[in-house]
Amino acid sequence: MTYSVAVSGASGYAGGEILRLLAQHPDVEIRTVTAHSNAGQPLAVHQPHLRSLAHLTLQETTPEVLAGHDIVVLALPHGQSGQYTDALDEVPLVIDAGADHRLRDASAWQQFYDGPHHAPWTYGVPELPVGGGKIRDSLVGATRIAAPGCNASTVSLSLAPGVAAGVIDSSDIVSVLAVGPSGAGKSLKPHLLASEVLGSANPYAVGGTHRHIPEIRQALEDAGAADVRISFTPVIVPMARGILATSTAPLAADATDADIRAAWEAAYADEPFVQLLPDGHFPRTADVVGANTALLGLAVDRSAGRVVVVAAVDNLVKGTAGAAVQSMNIALGLPEGRALTMNGVAP
C-alpha cells in the first residue's frame, strides 16, 4: 500500500527535513505541500536541495487542502497546529511537529506557551523508557502523534535510563546545551543572523524559561521520577545543525559504577537509533549530521557525586523529522527504520 501524504509548513527547516526523509520512503507519496506566506510559489524556491520534489507547488494551509490524505504532517510554529488538527478528524494519521499536542498539563502549557491547550497525543520518541516498557508500545497503531522538541528529547533520552533504574536523583538535574540556530526555525530573526552568530556563543532562555522544560519533566516523570527539578541552559553556537547536550544528576547513594553504566546499556542495547558509546568515549555533533541517531557518552564523576551524560543529535533529524518518520513507521506497522539512516555525513 502507498500512503498519500500532505506536509504543512513545507517551506521551513523542519518541513523541508520531513520532505527530504519522506522523499526516499518507498511506502509514501508526497502529494501536497503547503505554506502560509509562501503559498503559490514553487517548493524548489524554498527547498532547492529537494530536486525530486521540484515539481510541487506550495498551496495554502487550510483544512480543506490537508484533508483527503492518508497522512498529514504539520511542521508549523508552536500554537498554530491546533486550529488545523481540530478539523482533520477524518485523516487516518496526523503527526504534529510543533508543541501543541505534547503536554498533558494545561497549566504547564499556559506557563510556557500562548493560546489554548490542546489534547495530548502519543509522544513520538519510541526509545524512551516509560512504565517498565518503551513509548514505542504506545505508538503501535497510533493515529495522532506529537513529534518531540529537539532539546527536550535529547535531554530525556540522556537521563531516562538512570531515572527508570533508580541510579540517579532527578531532583537536581543540570543540562547545558550547545545548539545550532536551525532549531529556531527559518523565519528571519536579528539574533540569528550570521553576523550575530559566527564567532560567538549566545545563551538564551536562561533561568528556567525555555519551553522544552515541561516536556522534559513530563518525560522523566513517565520514566519513574517522583520529583524533577532541572536547570536548563541552551547556548546557540555557530553550526547550522546539531545539539550537544551535557546533562548531570546526583548519583543514588548505593549505586555502583557498574550499576550506573548497566542502566544505560540495558535501556538502549537493542536500539539502532540511540547508542551508548564505549566507556571513555564521547560524541561530537559532526558524527550525527544527517542521521536519525542519538549518540551518548557516559561518565561517573565520583568526586562530584554525579553522573555526566553527553548526547549528540542532529536537531532536524533525530530531534524532529526523523523522530516523526520513525514514529509514523511504527504506527503504520512498517519497518521502524524505513527511510532513515543511522550513518552521519563526514567530513
Side-chain angles (χ1 to χ4, degrees):
M1 176 178 179
T2 300
Y3 298 92
S4 62
V5 180
V7 176
S8 182
S11 60
Y13 285 139
E17 195 70 356
I18 289 165
L19 290 170
R20 183 179 73 87
L21 298 178
L22 291 180
Q24 56 193 348
H25 199 299
D27 299 301
V28 307
E29 177 190 358
I30 302 168
R31 292 187 185 171
T32 303
V33 291
T34 79
H36 179 53
S37 59
N38 296 317
Q41 301 179 33
L43 176 67
V45 170
H46 300 278
Q47 309 290 5
H49 61 298
L50 300 179
R51 301 316 306 164
S52 67
L53 303 178
H55 61 286
L56 294 173
T57 297
L58 293 164
Q59 301 183 49
E60 267 193 81
T61 301
T62 67
E64 293 75 21
V65 170
L66 297 174
H69 297 81
D70 299 313
I71 303 166
V72 170
V73 185
L74 301 168
L76 301 172
H78 304 316
Q80 293 190 18
S81 298
Q83 62 182 310
Y84 301 108
T85 59
D86 291 345
L88 296 175
D89 289 343
E90 296 187 9
V91 174
L93 176 58
V94 182
I95 302 171
D96 184 12
D100 292 36
H101 295 279
R102 292 176 192 160
L103 299 181
R104 294 191 297 268
D105 186 343
S107 63
W109 171 268
Q110 294 299 337
Q111 181 182 353
F112 286 88
Y113 294 92
D114 298 321
H117 176 252
H118 293 273
W121 291 354
T122 305
Y123 195 48
V125 186
E127 302 90 351
L128 267 178
V130 53
K134 298 282 184 70
I135 285 181
R136 175 180 288 108
D137 302 329
S138 300
L139 285 164
V140 176
T143 62
R144 298 293 182 269
I145 297 170
C150 53
N151 297 316
S153 60
T154 305
V155 174
S156 299
L157 287 167
S158 297
L159 297 175
V163 168
V167 297
I168 63 172
D169 176 3
S170 60
S171 68
D172 183 19
I173 295 169
V174 177
S175 292
V176 178
L177 298 82
V179 301
S182 60
K186 205 171 185 179
S187 298
L188 294 178
K189 304 177 182 72
H191 72 286
L192 298 180
L193 294 173
S195 56
E196 302 291 335
V197 172
L198 295 179
S200 183
N202 306 293
Y204 67 101
V206 179
T209 61
H210 196 282
R211 290 174 165 179
H212 287 177
I213 290 173
E215 192 177 333
I216 296 168
R217 288 179 181 148
Q218 178 174 282
L220 296 183
E221 288 167 358
D222 288 347
D227 178 26
V228 179
R229 286 185 292 169
I230 178 169
S231 172
F232 179 93
T233 307
V235 181
I236 293 175
V237 297
M239 58 183 180
R241 292 172 177 250
I243 298 172
L244 189 73
T246 302
S247 300
T248 78
L251 306 173
D254 56 350
T256 68
D257 289 17
D259 293 335
I260 295 161
R261 187 163 187 87
W264 274 262
E265 289 177 341
Y268 299 136
D270 300 320
E271 298 290 356
F273 296 123
V274 182
Q275 299 183 15
L276 179 66
L277 298 180
D279 191 21
H281 292 256
F282 298 91
R284 310 172 303 167
T285 55
D287 301 330
V288 294
V289 172
N292 189 52
T293 308
L295 295 181
L296 309 180
L298 175 70
V300 178
D301 186 346
R302 282 289 168 186
S303 63
R306 301 179 75 89
V307 68
V308 181
V309 182
V310 181
V313 305
D314 183 323
N315 58 295
L316 293 177
V317 189
K318 186 57 176 169
T320 306
V325 172
Q326 185 180 349
S327 299
M328 179 196 78
N329 287 337
I330 297 169
L332 297 174
L334 301 173
E336 186 171 331
R338 185 157 290 178
L340 301 170
T341 180
M342 67 177 70
N343 297 323
V345 178

